[in-house]
Amino acid sequence: MKKKLVVLTGAGISAESGIKTFRDSNGLWENHRVEDVASPEGFARDPQLVLDFYNLRRRQLKEVEPNDAHKILADLERDFDVNIITQNVDDLHERAGSTKVLHLHGELLKARPVNSDGNSIPWEDDLNLGDLDENGIQLRPHIVWFGEMVPAMEEATIITSTADIFVVIGTSMQVYPAAELIHYVPEGCEVFVIDPNLEHSYTKPENCFKCGGSEGMKKLRDLLLH
Ligand code: APR
């Protein structure tokens, strides 16, 4: 029986692929107001501004590749039951080969009708006003905006509560409810943190790798496999 390795990832794991994080210097939230481009109110106020914000990020996603951190996580499926819980909306975990990826904040390459929070459809190109679903309803990015419910959170807590090993990589843990997951880690579960700007205090210092994702995942792989 393979040990269950649960990994909570954030924007930092995709930084080495060239995707901006949110709260680092020159991060996404330095050049955009969250309330304008990542909230239902912003979408109601100026839908095209919001659609353009995600269209740019969707186009950029086609230009980047998974990095070693994504690839090592995918390779670890040979030795562990790897469950990724990601706050990222990119598809880099999937493109690296990971097979169990739960997106807490939605997916950039999907869209859904504005009147639902469920049934999404694949959407790889620009999404604009006038792009409608089969019922003639305007489509929106399948992204969880600030103030909206996180439908996948219940499943994420169940996955986390059965972890043998829990890894936090590339997230500032400033956004809820995602950040609450650390409180669902079961007693006796080994916790590791990989982040160059380490502020997390979720585990003992020797389990904290103050470095980038690729370097940290190489260290963690060596530790777990030897
Ligand atoms: N490797 C690993 N971690 C890195 C790297 C790197 N190369 N570069 C930066 N980091 C770390 C930063 O130190 C920081 O702790 O990644 C984290 C990025 O934090 P945020 O920018 O806050 O991103 P994240 O935690 O994913 O944000 C959570 O906030 O805006 C919302 O919905 C959005 O999903 C996002 C959520």
Side-chain angles (χ1 to χ4, degrees), residues 96-217:
S98 290
T99 58
K100 290 184 184 176
V101 183
L102 182 65
H103 286 270
L104 287 179
H105 295 163
E107 297 178 68
L108 207 46
L109 299 180
K110 289 184 179 173
R112 69 170 191 260
V114 290
N115 64 344
S116 92
D117 63 4
N119 55 337
S120 62
I121 55 174
W123 199 274
E124 310 252 335
D125 300 318
D126 282 5
L127 176 61
N128 294 302
L129 286 176
D131 286 330
L132 314 177
D133 75 348
E134 74 274 6
N135 302 315
I137 308 283
Q138 172 66 46
L139 290 164
R140 58 163 277 184
H142 183 52
I143 301 286
V144 177
W145 286 329
F146 282 88
E148 294 186 318
M149 295 294 290
V150 180
M153 191 60 196
E154 184 181 355
E155 184 181 356
T157 58
I158 293 167
I159 293 169
T160 302
S161 62
T162 55
D164 295 306
I165 302 164
F166 190 79
V167 185
V168 177
I169 174 169
T171 173
S172 61
M173 297 291 266
Q174 289 183 35
V175 170
Y176 288 78
E180 278 167 17
L181 284 175
I182 196 70
H183 303 301
Y184 288 85
V185 172
E187 201 62 36
C189 172
E190 188 98 50
V191 178
F192 296 89
V193 178
I194 301 172
D195 192 307
N197 312 307
L198 218 45
E199 282 117 27
H200 309 312
S201 56
Y202 309 112
T203 187
K204 49 199 181 199
E206 58 267 33
N207 282 14
C208 295
F209 304 139
K210 196 174 170 70
C211 59
S214 296
E215 184 186 343
M217 278 308 305

